[in-house]
Amino acid sequence: MSALEREIEETRERLASTIDQLAHRAHPKTIVGRQVTTVKSRFVDLDTGAPRTDNILKVAGAVVGVVVLLALVRKVAG
């Protein structure tokens, strides 16, 4: 096998590996897994498993605010 043929074969192998990596990254289960990890990391410290109370309280406060706002709007409109 000549040097050129070896180089072509190595290039094919690298391209095949790259295509496999891209296919894995674009697979729906992989994408969902990444998104779940991203959301989970906002509410739980992934290293220790401890809840991130600051972020949890922010979200809880926002939910309570929206509920109160909706109740007020319904009361005023009704």
Side-chain angles (χ1 to χ4, degrees), residues 27-38:
H27 193 276
K29 284 187 179 181
T30 304
I31 294 169
V32 168
R34 272 196 315 263
Q35 295 302 334
V36 166
T37 301
T38 299

Side-chain angles (χ1 to χ4, degrees), residues 34-78:
R34 272 196 315 263
Q35 295 302 334
V36 166
T37 301
T38 299
V39 170
K40 188 175 180 181
S41 71
R42 289 196 173 102
F43 298 102
V44 177
D45 186 326
L46 297 179
D47 295 329
T48 64
R52 293 185 171 196
T53 53
D54 57 332
N55 289 343
I56 293 170
L57 291 174
K58 288 176 192 174
V59 171
V63 169
V64 168
V66 168
V67 169
V68 168
L69 180 64
L70 289 175
L72 288 174
V73 167
R74 289 179 106 184
K75 187 174 184 176
V76 169

